[in-house]
Coordinates of all heavy atoms in Angstrom, one line a residue:
M1 N 0.9 -1.1 0.0 CA 0.0 0.0 0.0 C 0.9 1.2 0.0 O 1.9 1.3 0.7 CB -0.9 0.0 1.2 CG -1.9 1.1 1.3 SD -3.4 0.9 0.4 CE -4.1 -0.6 1.0
I2 N 0.5 2.2 -0.8 CA 1.3 3.4 -1.0 C 0.5 4.6 -0.5 O -0.7 4.7 -0.8 CB 1.7 3.7 -2.5 CG1 2.4 2.6 -3.1 CG2 2.4 5.0 -2.6 CD1 3.8 2.3 -2.4
A3 N 1.1 5.5 0.3 CA 0.4 6.7 0.8 C 1.0 7.9 0.1 O 2.3 8.1 0.0 CB 0.6 6.9 2.3
R4 N 0.2 8.7 -0.6 CA 0.6 9.8 -1.3 C 0.2 11.1 -0.5 O -1.0 11.3 -0.2 CB 0.0 9.9 -2.8 CG 0.3 11.1 -3.6 CD -0.5 11.0 -4.9 NE -0.4 12.2 -5.6 CZ 0.5 12.6 -6.6 NH1 1.4 11.6 -7.0 NH2 0.4 13.7 -7.2
V5 N 1.3 11.8 -0.1 CA 1.0 13.0 0.8 C 1.3 14.3 0.1 O 2.3 14.4 -0.6 CB 1.9 12.9 2.0 CG1 1.8 14.0 3.0 CG2 1.7 11.5 2.7
W6 N 0.4 15.3 0.2 CA 0.5 16.5 -0.5 C -0.1 17.6 0.4 O -1.1 17.3 1.2 CB -0.3 16.5 -1.8 CG -0.3 17.7 -2.6 CD1 0.7 18.1 -3.4 CD2 -1.4 18.7 -2.6 NE1 0.3 19.4 -3.9 CE2 -0.9 19.7 -3.4 CE3 -2.6 18.8 -1.9 CZ2 -1.7 20.8 -3.7 CZ3 -3.4 19.8 -2.2 CH2 -2.9 20.9 -3.0
H7 N 0.5 18.8 0.3 CA 0.0 20.0 1.1 C -0.5 21.1 0.2 O 0.2 21.4 -0.8 CB 1.1 20.5 2.0 CG 1.6 19.6 3.0 ND1 2.6 18.6 2.7 CD2 1.3 19.3 4.3 CE1 2.8 17.9 3.8 NE2 2.0 18.3 4.8
G8 N -1.6 21.7 0.6 CA -2.1 22.9 -0.1 C -2.5 23.9 1.0 O -2.9 23.4 2.1
Y9 N -2.5 25.2 0.6 CA -2.8 26.2 1.7 C -3.9 27.2 1.1 O -3.8 27.6 -0.2 CB -1.6 27.0 2.0 CG -0.5 26.1 2.6 CD1 0.4 25.3 1.7 CD2 -0.3 26.0 3.9 CE1 1.3 24.5 2.3 CE2 0.7 25.1 4.5 CZ 1.5 24.4 3.6 OH 2.5 23.6 4.2
T10 N -4.8 27.5 1.8 CA -5.9 28.5 1.5 C -5.9 29.6 2.5 O -5.4 29.5 3.5 CB -7.2 27.9 1.5 OG1 -7.7 27.6 2.8 CG2 -7.4 26.6 0.6
R11 N -6.5 30.8 2.0 CA -6.9 31.8 3.0 C -8.0 31.3 3.8 O -8.8 30.4 3.4 CB -7.4 33.0 2.2 CG -6.3 33.7 1.3 CD -6.9 34.9 0.6 NE -8.1 34.6 -0.1 CZ -9.3 35.3 0.0 NH1 -9.4 36.3 0.9 NH2 -10.3 34.9 -0.6
P12 N -8.1 31.7 5.1 CA -9.3 31.2 5.9 C -10.6 31.3 5.3 O -11.5 30.5 5.5 CB -9.1 32.1 7.2 CG -7.6 32.4 7.3 CD -7.2 32.6 5.8
A13 N -10.8 32.4 4.5 CA -12.1 32.6 3.9 C -12.5 31.6 2.9 O -13.6 31.3 2.5 CB -12.2 34.0 3.3
D14 N -11.4 30.9 2.3 CA -11.6 29.9 1.2 C -11.6 28.5 1.8 O -11.8 27.5 1.0 CB -10.5 30.1 0.1 CG -10.7 31.4 -0.6 OD1 -11.8 31.8 -0.8 OD2 -9.7 31.9 -1.1
A15 N -11.3 28.3 3.0 CA -11.0 26.9 3.5 C -12.2 26.0 3.5 O -12.2 24.8 3.0 CB -10.5 27.0 5.0
R16 N -13.4 26.5 3.9 CA -14.6 25.7 3.8 C -15.0 25.3 2.3 O -15.4 24.2 2.1 CB -15.8 26.4 4.5 CG -15.6 26.3 6.0 CD -16.9 26.8 6.6 NE -16.7 26.7 8.1 CZ -17.6 27.2 9.0 NH1 -18.6 27.8 8.6 NH2 -17.3 27.0 10.2
T17 N -14.9 26.3 1.5 CA -15.2 26.0 0.0 C -14.2 25.0 -0.5 O -14.6 24.1 -1.2 CB -15.1 27.3 -0.8 OG1 -15.9 28.3 -0.2 CG2 -15.4 27.1 -2.2
Y18 N -12.9 25.1 -0.2 CA -11.9 24.1 -0.7 C -12.2 22.7 -0.1 O -12.2 21.8 -0.9 CB -10.5 24.6 -0.3 CG -9.5 23.6 -0.8 CD1 -9.2 23.4 -2.1 CD2 -8.8 22.9 0.2 CE1 -8.3 22.5 -2.6 CE2 -7.8 22.0 -0.3 CZ -7.6 21.8 -1.6 OH -6.6 20.9 -2.0
E19 N -12.5 22.6 1.2 CA -12.8 21.3 1.7 C -14.1 20.7 1.1 O -14.1 19.5 0.8 CB -13.0 21.4 3.3 CG -13.2 20.0 3.9 CD -13.1 20.1 5.4 OE1 -12.9 21.1 6.0 OE2 -13.4 19.0 6.0
A20 N -15.1 21.5 0.9 CA -16.3 21.0 0.3 C -16.0 20.5 -1.1 O -16.6 19.5 -1.5 CB -17.3 22.1 0.3
M21 N -15.2 21.2 -1.9 CA -14.8 20.8 -3.2 C -14.1 19.4 -3.2 O -14.4 18.6 -4.0 CB -13.9 21.8 -3.9 CG -13.6 21.5 -5.3 SD -12.6 22.8 -6.1 CE -13.8 24.1 -6.2
L22 N -13.2 19.3 -2.2 CA -12.5 18.0 -2.1 C -13.5 16.9 -1.8 O -13.4 15.8 -2.5 CB -11.5 18.1 -0.9 CG -10.2 18.8 -1.1 CD1 -9.4 18.9 0.3 CD2 -9.3 18.1 -2.1
R23 N -14.4 17.1 -0.9 CA -15.4 16.0 -0.5 C -16.4 15.8 -1.5 O -16.8 14.6 -1.7 CB -16.0 16.4 0.8 CG -15.1 16.5 2.0 CD -16.0 16.9 3.3 NE -15.1 17.0 4.4 CZ -15.0 16.1 5.2 NH1 -15.5 14.9 5.0 NH2 -14.2 16.3 6.3
T24 N -16.9 16.7 -2.3 CA -18.0 16.5 -3.2 C -17.6 16.3 -4.6 O -18.4 15.6 -5.3 CB -19.0 17.7 -3.1 OG1 -18.3 18.9 -3.6 CG2 -19.5 17.9 -1.7
S25 N -16.5 16.7 -5.1 CA -16.3 16.6 -6.5 C -14.8 16.0 -6.7 O -14.7 15.0 -7.6 CB -16.3 17.8 -7.3 OG -15.4 18.8 -6.8
I26 N -13.8 16.3 -6.1 CA -12.5 15.8 -6.4 C -12.3 14.4 -5.9 O -11.9 13.5 -6.6 CB -11.4 16.8 -5.8 CG1 -11.5 18.1 -6.5 CG2 -10.0 16.2 -6.0 CD1 -10.6 19.2 -5.8
L27 N -12.5 14.1 -4.6 CA -12.2 12.8 -4.1 C -13.2 11.7 -4.6 O -12.7 10.7 -5.0 CB -12.3 12.8 -2.6 CG -11.1 13.6 -2.0 CD1 -11.2 13.7 -0.4 CD2 -9.7 13.1 -2.4
P28 N -14.5 12.0 -4.8 CA -15.3 11.1 -5.4 C -14.9 10.6 -6.8 O -15.0 9.4 -7.2 CB -16.7 11.7 -5.5 CG -16.7 12.7 -4.4 CD -15.3 13.2 -4.3
D29 N -14.3 11.5 -7.6 CA -13.7 11.1 -9.0 C -12.6 10.1 -8.8 O -12.4 9.3 -9.7 CB -13.2 12.3 -9.6 CG -14.3 13.2 -10.2 OD1 -15.5 12.7 -10.3 OD2 -14.1 14.3 -10.7
L30 N -11.8 10.2 -7.7 CA -10.7 9.2 -7.6 C -11.2 7.8 -7.4 O -10.5 6.8 -7.7 CB -9.9 9.6 -6.3 CG -9.1 11.0 -6.4 CD1 -8.2 11.1 -5.3 CD2 -8.3 11.1 -7.7
H31 N -12.4 7.6 -6.9 CA -12.9 6.2 -6.7 C -13.0 5.5 -8.0 O -13.2 4.2 -8.1 CB -14.3 6.3 -6.0 CG -14.1 6.6 -4.5 ND1 -13.7 5.6 -3.6 CD2 -14.3 7.7 -3.9 CE1 -13.7 6.1 -2.4 NE2 -14.1 7.4 -2.6
R32 N -13.0 6.2 -9.2 CA -13.1 5.6 -10.4 C -11.7 5.0 -10.9 O -11.7 4.3 -12.0 CB -13.6 6.6 -11.5 CG -15.0 7.1 -11.2 CD -15.5 8.0 -12.2 NE -16.8 8.5 -11.8 CZ -17.0 9.8 -11.6 NH1 -16.1 10.7 -11.9 NH2 -18.2 10.2 -11.2
I33 N -10.6 5.3 -10.2 CA -9.3 4.9 -10.6 C -9.0 3.5 -9.9 O -9.1 3.4 -8.7 CB -8.3 6.0 -10.2 CG1 -8.6 7.3 -10.9 CG2 -6.9 5.5 -10.6 CD1 -7.8 8.4 -10.5
A34 N -8.7 2.6 -10.7 CA -8.3 1.3 -10.2 C -7.1 1.4 -9.2 O -6.1 2.1 -9.6 CB -7.9 0.3 -11.3
G35 N -7.2 0.8 -8.0 CA -6.2 0.9 -7.1 C -6.3 1.9 -6.1 O -5.5 2.0 -5.1
Y36 N -7.3 2.9 -6.2 CA -7.4 3.9 -5.2 C -8.1 3.3 -4.0 O -9.1 2.6 -4.1 CB -8.3 5.1 -5.8 CG -8.7 6.1 -4.8 CD1 -7.8 7.0 -4.2 CD2 -10.0 6.2 -4.3 CE1 -8.1 7.9 -3.3 CE2 -10.4 7.1 -3.4 CZ -9.4 8.0 -2.9 OH -9.8 9.0 -2.0
R37 N -7.6 3.6 -2.8 CA -8.2 3.0 -1.6 C -8.6 4.0 -0.5 O -8.9 3.6 0.6 CB -7.1 2.0 -0.9 CG -6.8 0.9 -1.8 CD -8.0 -0.1 -1.9 NE -7.7 -1.1 -2.9 CZ -8.6 -1.3 -4.0 NH1 -9.6 -0.6 -4.2 NH2 -8.2 -2.3 -4.8
G38 N -8.7 5.2 -0.8 CA -9.3 6.2 0.1 C -8.3 7.4 0.4 O -7.2 7.4 -0.1
C39 N -8.9 8.3 1.3 CA -8.1 9.5 1.5 C -8.4 10.0 2.9 O -9.5 9.8 3.4 CB -8.5 10.6 0.6 SG -7.7 12.1 0.8
H40 N -7.4 10.6 3.5 CA -7.5 11.3 4.8 C -7.3 12.7 4.4 O -6.3 13.1 3.8 CB -6.6 10.9 5.8 CG -6.8 9.5 6.2 ND1 -7.7 9.0 7.1 CD2 -6.1 8.3 5.9 CE1 -7.6 7.7 7.3 NE2 -6.6 7.3 6.5
I41 N -8.2 13.7 4.9 CA -8.0 15.1 4.8 C -7.7 15.7 6.2 O -8.5 15.5 7.1 CB -9.2 15.8 4.2 CG1 -9.6 15.2 2.9 CG2 -9.0 17.3 4.1 CD1 -11.0 15.7 2.4
L42 N -6.6 16.3 6.4 CA -6.3 17.0 7.6 C -6.2 18.4 7.4 O -5.7 18.8 6.3 CB -4.9 16.4 8.2 CG -5.0 14.9 8.6 CD1 -4.7 14.0 7.5 CD2 -4.0 14.7 9.7
H43 N -6.5 19.3 8.3 CA -6.3 20.7 8.1 C -6.1 21.3 9.5 O -6.5 20.8 10.5 CB -7.5 21.4 7.4 CG -8.8 21.3 8.0 ND1 -9.2 22.1 9.0 CD2 -9.8 20.4 7.8 CE1 -10.4 21.8 9.4 NE2 -10.8 20.7 8.7
R44 N -5.4 22.5 9.4 CA -5.2 23.3 10.6 C -4.9 24.7 10.2 O -4.5 25.0 9.1 CB -4.0 22.8 11.3 CG -2.7 22.9 10.6 CD -1.5 22.4 11.4 NE -0.3 22.6 10.7 CZ 0.9 22.7 11.2 NH1 1.1 22.7 12.5 NH2 2.0 22.8 10.5
S45 N -5.4 25.6 11.1 CA -5.1 27.0 10.9 C -3.7 27.3 11.3 O -3.2 26.8 12.3 CB -6.0 27.9 11.8 OG -7.4 27.7 11.4
E46 N -3.0 28.1 10.5 CA -1.7 28.4 10.7 C -1.5 29.9 10.3 O -1.2 30.2 9.1 CB -0.8 27.5 9.9 CG 0.7 27.7 10.2 CD 1.6 26.6 9.7 OE1 1.3 25.4 9.9 OE2 2.6 27.0 9.0
G47 N -1.7 30.8 11.3 CA -1.6 32.2 11.0 C -2.6 32.7 10.1 O -3.8 32.5 10.3
A48 N -2.2 33.3 9.0 CA -3.1 33.9 8.1 C -3.5 32.9 6.9 O -4.1 33.3 5.9 CB -2.4 35.0 7.4
E49 N -3.4 31.6 7.2 CA -3.8 30.6 6.1 C -4.2 29.3 6.8 O -4.0 29.1 8.0 CB -2.7 30.4 5.1 CG -1.4 29.9 5.6 CD -0.3 29.8 4.6 OE1 -0.5 30.3 3.5 OE2 0.8 29.3 4.9
V50 N -4.8 28.5 6.1 CA -5.2 27.1 6.5 C -4.4 26.1 5.7 O -4.5 26.1 4.4 CB -6.7 26.9 6.4 CG1 -7.1 25.5 6.8 CG2 -7.5 27.9 7.2
E51 N -3.7 25.2 6.4 CA -2.9 24.2 5.7 C -3.9 22.9 5.6 O -4.5 22.5 6.5 CB -1.7 23.8 6.5 CG -1.0 22.6 6.0 CD 0.1 22.2 7.0 OE1 0.2 22.7 8.1 OE2 0.9 21.3 6.6
F52 N -3.8 22.4 4.4 CA -4.6 21.1 4.1 C -3.5 20.1 3.8 O -2.6 20.3 3.0 CB -5.5 21.2 3.0 CG -6.8 21.9 3.4 CD1 -6.9 23.3 3.3 CD2 -7.9 21.2 3.7 CE1 -8.0 23.9 3.6 CE2 -9.1 21.8 4.1 CZ -9.2 23.2 4.0
M53 N -3.6 18.9 4.4 CA -2.8 17.8 4.0 C -3.7 16.7 3.5 O -4.7 16.3 4.2 CB -2.0 17.2 5.2 CG -1.1 16.0 4.8 SD -0.3 15.2 6.3 CE 0.4 16.5 7.2
T54 N -3.5 16.1 2.3 CA -4.2 15.0 1.8 C -3.3 13.8 1.8 O -2.1 13.9 1.4 CB -4.9 15.3 0.5 OG1 -3.8 15.6 -0.5 CG2 -5.8 16.4 0.5
I55 N -3.8 12.7 2.3 CA -3.1 11.5 2.2 C -4.0 10.5 1.5 O -5.0 10.1 2.0 CB -2.8 11.0 3.7 CG1 -2.0 12.0 4.5 CG2 -2.0 9.7 3.6 CD1 -1.9 11.7 6.0
T56 N -3.7 10.3 0.2 CA -4.4 9.3 -0.5 C -3.7 7.9 -0.5 O -2.5 7.9 -0.4 CB -4.6 9.8 -2.0 OG1 -3.3 10.0 -2.6 CG2 -5.5 11.0 -2.1
M57 N -4.5 6.9 -0.5 CA -4.0 5.5 -0.3 C -4.1 4.8 -1.7 O -5.3 4.9 -2.3 CB -4.7 4.8 0.8 CG -4.6 5.5 2.2 SD -2.9 5.8 2.8 CE -2.3 4.1 3.0
W58 N -3.2 4.0 -2.1 CA -3.1 3.4 -3.4 C -2.6 2.0 -3.2 O -1.7 1.8 -2.3 CB -2.2 4.2 -4.3 CG -2.7 5.5 -4.5 CD1 -2.3 6.7 -3.8 CD2 -3.7 6.0 -5.4 NE1 -3.0 7.8 -4.2 CE2 -3.8 7.4 -5.2 CE3 -4.4 5.4 -6.4 CZ2 -4.7 8.2 -6.0 CZ3 -5.3 6.2 -7.1 CH2 -5.4 7.6 -7.0
D59 N -3.1 1.1 -4.0 CA -2.5 -0.3 -4.0 C -1.1 -0.4 -4.3 O -0.4 -1.3 -3.7 CB -3.4 -1.2 -4.9 CG -4.7 -1.6 -4.4 OD1 -4.9 -1.5 -3.2 OD2 -5.6 -2.0 -5.3
S60 N -0.6 0.4 -5.2 CA 0.7 0.3 -5.7 C 1.1 1.6 -6.4 O 0.4 2.5 -6.7 CB 0.8 -0.8 -6.8 OG 0.0 -0.5 -7.9
M61 N 2.4 1.7 -6.7 CA 2.9 2.8 -7.5 C 2.4 2.8 -8.9 O 2.2 3.9 -9.5 CB 4.5 2.8 -7.5 CG 5.1 3.2 -6.2 SD 4.6 4.8 -5.6 CE 5.1 5.9 -6.9
G62 N 2.0 1.6 -9.4 CA 1.4 1.6 -10.7 C 0.0 2.3 -10.7 O -0.4 3.1 -11.6
A63 N -0.7 2.2 -9.6 CA -2.0 2.8 -9.4 C -1.8 4.3 -9.3 O -2.5 5.1 -9.9 CB -2.8 2.3 -8.2
V64 N -0.7 4.7 -8.5 CA -0.4 6.2 -8.4 C -0.2 6.7 -9.9 O -0.6 7.9 -10.2 CB 0.8 6.4 -7.5 CG1 1.3 7.8 -7.5 CG2 0.4 6.0 -6.1
R65 N 0.6 6.0 -10.7 CA 1.0 6.5 -12.0 C -0.4 6.6 -12.9 O -0.4 7.5 -13.7 CB 2.0 5.6 -12.6 CG 3.3 5.8 -12.1 CD 4.4 4.9 -12.8 NE 5.7 5.2 -12.3 CZ 6.3 4.5 -11.3 NH1 5.7 3.5 -10.7 NH2 7.6 4.9 -11.0
I66 N -1.3 5.7 -12.7 CA -2.5 5.9 -13.5 C -3.2 7.2 -13.1 O -3.7 7.9 -14.0 CB -3.5 4.7 -13.1 CG1 -2.9 3.4 -13.7 CG2 -4.9 4.9 -13.7 CD1 -3.7 2.1 -13.3
F67 N -3.1 7.5 -11.8 CA -3.8 8.8 -11.4 C -2.9 10.0 -11.8 O -3.4 11.0 -12.3 CB -3.8 8.8 -9.8 CG -4.0 10.1 -9.2 CD1 -5.2 10.9 -9.4 CD2 -3.0 10.7 -8.4 CE1 -5.4 12.2 -8.9 CE2 -3.2 11.9 -7.8 CZ -4.4 12.7 -8.0
A68 N -1.6 10.0 -11.5 CA -0.8 11.1 -11.6 C 0.1 11.2 -13.0 O 0.6 12.3 -13.3 CB 0.3 11.2 -10.5
G69 N 0.2 10.1 -13.7 CA 1.0 10.1 -14.9 C 2.4 9.7 -14.7 O 2.7 9.4 -13.6
A70 N 3.1 9.8 -15.8 CA 4.6 9.3 -15.7 C 5.4 10.1 -14.7 O 6.2 9.5 -14.0 CB 5.2 9.4 -17.1
D71 N 5.2 11.4 -14.6 CA 5.9 12.2 -13.6 C 5.0 12.1 -12.3 O 4.4 13.1 -11.9 CB 6.0 13.6 -14.1 CG 6.9 14.5 -13.1 OD1 7.4 13.9 -12.1 OD2 7.0 15.7 -13.3
Y72 N 5.0 11.0 -11.7 CA 4.0 10.7 -10.6 C 4.2 11.5 -9.4 O 3.2 11.6 -8.6 CB 4.0 9.2 -10.2 CG 5.4 8.8 -9.6 CD1 5.5 8.8 -8.2 CD2 6.5 8.4 -10.4 CE1 6.7 8.4 -7.6 CE2 7.6 8.0 -9.8 CZ 7.7 8.1 -8.4 OH 8.9 7.7 -7.8
E73 N 5.4 12.2 -9.2 CA 5.5 13.0 -8.0 C 4.9 14.4 -8.2 O 4.6 15.1 -7.3 CB 7.0 13.2 -7.8 CG 7.7 12.0 -7.2 CD 9.1 12.1 -6.8 OE1 9.8 12.9 -7.6 OE2 9.5 11.5 -5.9
Q74 N 4.6 14.8 -9.5 CA 4.0 16.1 -9.8 C 2.6 16.2 -9.1 O 1.8 15.3 -9.1 CB 3.9 16.2 -11.3 CG 3.4 17.6 -11.8 CD 4.4 18.7 -11.3 OE1 5.6 18.6 -11.5 NE2 3.9 19.8 -10.9
A75 N 2.4 17.4 -8.5 CA 1.1 17.7 -7.9 C 0.0 17.6 -9.0 O 0.2 18.0 -10.1 CB 1.1 19.0 -7.3
V76 N -1.2 17.1 -8.6 CA -2.4 17.0 -9.5 C -3.4 17.8 -8.8 O -3.9 17.5 -7.7 CB -2.8 15.5 -9.7 CG1 -4.1 15.5 -10.5 CG2 -1.7 14.7 -10.2
I77 N -3.7 19.0 -9.4 CA -4.6 19.9 -8.8 C -5.7 20.2 -9.8 O -5.5 20.6 -10.9 CB -3.9 21.2 -8.5 CG1 -2.7 20.9 -7.5 CG2 -4.9 22.2 -7.8 CD1 -1.8 22.1 -7.4
A78 N -7.0 20.0 -9.3 CA -8.1 20.3 -10.2 C -8.2 21.8 -10.5 O -7.9 22.7 -9.6 CB -9.4 19.9 -9.5
P79 N -8.5 22.2 -11.7 CA -8.6 23.7 -12.1 C -9.4 24.5 -11.1 O -9.0 25.5 -10.7 CB -9.2 23.7 -13.4 CG -8.9 22.3 -14.0 CD -8.9 21.4 -12.9
G80 N -10.5 24.0 -10.6 CA -11.4 24.8 -9.7 C -10.7 24.9 -8.4 O -10.9 26.0 -7.7
A81 N -9.9 23.9 -7.9 CA -9.3 24.0 -6.7 C -8.1 25.0 -6.7 O -7.8 25.6 -5.7 CB -8.8 22.6 -6.3
A82 N -7.4 25.0 -7.8 CA -6.2 25.9 -8.0 C -6.5 27.3 -7.6 O -5.7 28.0 -7.0 CB -5.7 25.8 -9.4
R83 N -7.7 27.8 -8.0 CA -8.0 29.2 -7.7 C -8.2 29.5 -6.2 O -8.2 30.6 -5.8 CB -9.2 29.7 -8.5 CG -10.5 29.0 -8.1 CD -11.8 29.5 -8.9 NE -12.9 28.7 -8.6 CZ -13.6 28.9 -7.5 NH1 -13.3 29.8 -6.6 NH2 -14.7 28.2 -7.2
L84 N -8.5 28.4 -5.4 CA -8.7 28.6 -4.0 C -7.4 28.5 -3.2 O -7.4 28.9 -2.0 CB -9.7 27.5 -3.5 CG -11.1 27.6 -4.0 CD1 -11.9 26.4 -3.6 CD2 -11.8 28.9 -3.6
L85 N -6.4 27.9 -3.8 CA -5.1 27.7 -3.1 C -4.2 28.9 -3.2 O -4.0 29.4 -4.3 CB -4.4 26.5 -3.7 CG -5.2 25.2 -3.5 CD1 -4.5 24.1 -4.4 CD2 -5.2 24.8 -2.0
S86 N -3.7 29.3 -2.1 CA -2.7 30.5 -2.1 C -1.3 29.9 -2.5 O -0.6 30.6 -3.1 CB -2.7 31.2 -0.7 OG -2.4 30.3 0.3
H87 N -1.0 28.7 -2.1 CA 0.1 28.0 -2.5 C 0.0 26.6 -2.2 O -0.8 26.2 -1.5 CB 1.5 28.7 -2.0 CG 1.6 28.6 -0.5 ND1 2.3 27.7 0.1 CD2 1.0 29.4 0.4 CE1 2.2 28.0 1.5 NE2 1.4 29.0 1.7
H88 N 1.0 25.7 -2.7 CA 0.9 24.3 -2.6 C 2.2 23.7 -2.8 O 3.1 24.3 -3.4 CB -0.2 23.8 -3.4 CG 0.0 24.1 -4.9 ND1 0.9 23.4 -5.7 CD2 -0.6 24.9 -5.7 CE1 0.9 23.8 -6.9 NE2 0.1 24.9 -6.9
D89 N 2.4 22.5 -2.4 CA 3.5 21.6 -2.8 C 3.5 21.4 -4.3 O 2.5 21.1 -4.9 CB 3.5 20.3 -2.1 CG 3.7 20.3 -0.6 OD1 4.1 21.4 0.0 OD2 3.4 19.3 0.0
D90 N 4.7 21.5 -4.9 CA 4.7 21.2 -6.4 C 4.8 19.7 -6.5 O 4.4 19.2 -7.7 CB 6.0 21.9 -7.0 CG 5.9 23.4 -7.0 OD1 4.8 23.9 -7.2 OD2 6.9 24.0 -6.9
K91 N 5.3 19.0 -5.6 CA 5.5 17.6 -5.7 C 4.8 16.9 -4.5 O 4.8 17.4 -3.4 CB 7.0 17.2 -5.6 CG 7.8 17.9 -6.7 CD 7.8 17.0 -7.9 CE 8.8 17.5 -9.0 NZ 8.7 16.8 -10.2
A92 N 4.2 15.7 -4.7 CA 3.7 14.8 -3.7 C 4.8 14.0 -3.2 O 5.8 13.6 -4.0 CB 2.5 14.1 -4.2
K93 N 4.8 13.5 -2.0 CA 5.7 12.5 -1.5 C 4.9 11.2 -1.3 O 3.7 11.1 -1.0 CB 6.3 12.9 -0.1 CG 7.2 14.2 -0.2 CD 7.8 14.5 1.1 CE 8.6 15.8 0.8 NZ 9.3 16.2 2.2
H94 N 5.7 10.1 -1.5 CA 5.1 8.8 -1.5 C 5.8 7.9 -0.4 O 7.0 7.9 -0.3 CB 5.2 8.1 -2.9 CG 4.4 8.9 -3.9 ND1 5.0 10.0 -4.5 CD2 3.2 8.8 -4.3 CE1 4.2 10.5 -5.4 NE2 3.0 9.8 -5.3
Y95 N 5.0 7.2 0.3 CA 5.5 6.3 1.5 C 4.9 5.0 1.4 O 3.7 4.8 1.0 CB 5.0 7.0 2.8 CG 5.6 8.4 3.0 CD1 4.9 9.4 2.5 CD2 6.8 8.6 3.7 CE1 5.4 10.7 2.8 CE2 7.2 9.9 4.0 CZ 6.5 10.9 3.4 OH 7.0 12.2 3.7
D96 N 5.7 4.0 1.8 CA 5.1 2.6 1.9 C 4.3 2.7 3.2 O 4.8 3.1 4.2 CB 6.2 1.6 2.0 CG 7.0 1.4 0.7 OD1 6.3 1.4 -0.4 OD2 8.1 1.2 0.7
A97 N 3.1 2.2 3.1 CA 2.2 2.3 4.3 C 2.5 1.0 5.1 O 2.3 -0.1 4.7 CB 0.8 2.3 4.0
A98 N 3.1 1.2 6.3 CA 3.5 0.0 7.1 C 2.5 -0.5 8.0 O 2.5 -1.7 8.3 CB 4.8 0.4 7.9
H99 N 1.6 0.3 8.4 CA 0.5 -0.2 9.3 C -0.7 0.7 9.2 O -0.5 2.0 9.1 CB 1.0 -0.1 10.8 CG 0.0 -0.5 11.8 ND1 -0.4 -1.7 12.0 CD2 -0.7 0.4 12.7 CE1 -1.4 -1.7 13.0 NE2 -1.5 -0.4 13.4
S100 N -1.8 0.2 9.3 CA -3.1 0.9 9.4 C -4.0 0.2 10.3 O -4.2 -1.0 10.2 CB -3.7 1.0 8.0 OG -4.9 1.8 8.1
G101 N -4.6 0.9 11.2 CA -5.4 0.2 12.2 C -5.6 0.9 13.4 O -5.9 1.7 14.0

């Protein structure tokens, strides 16, 4: 199992809209990708912005590549989400998931 970790940041005024977009349109689309196993969304206020961390779970790096393409570390950001982000990681990090439970 592979965990793909990525950070994006919004202004506080955009945080609820961004989270709603993740829950209602972006993440449901991932369920159509073979090998996708779910997501954790974490967020916290940090001064004048809200940090979001998404941890998507995948069966394999092959599944990650189906989602992200050949340059699998490159951030994948939906066009509507990009306008809500003040900045974000350009690259995602990938980890072998050693334990869940």
Side-chain angles (χ1 to χ4, degrees):
M1 185 81 62
I2 303 296
R4 178 180 168 96
V5 179
W6 177 83
H7 298 87
Y9 301 81
T10 69
R11 295 179 310 121
D14 292 329
R16 285 190 178 169
T17 302
Y18 179 69
E19 184 174 356
M21 184 180 292
L22 284 172
R23 291 176 182 270
T24 61
S25 62
I26 296 171
L27 294 177
D29 285 347
L30 295 185
H31 286 282
R32 298 184 186 121
I33 301 171
Y36 173 72
R37 295 293 172 236
C39 179
H40 297 281
I41 303 169
L42 294 87
H43 61 83
R44 66 181 179 152
S45 294
E46 189 166 307
E49 59 188 5
V50 177
E51 174 188 7
F52 283 86
M53 180 189 311
T54 60
I55 305 170
T56 53
M57 303 302 293
W58 303 90
D59 281 341
S60 65
M61 286 306 298
V64 171
R65 284 183 176 93
I66 291 170
F67 164 66
D71 186 7
Y72 67 91
E73 290 183 328
Q74 185 64 41
V76 178
I77 303 168
R83 68 178 174 77
L84 297 171
L85 295 169
S86 54
H87 61 101
H88 56 78
D89 293 346
D90 291 329
K91 303 271 185 183
K93 293 184 180 179
H94 299 85
Y95 300 86
D96 290 322
H99 174 74
S100 180

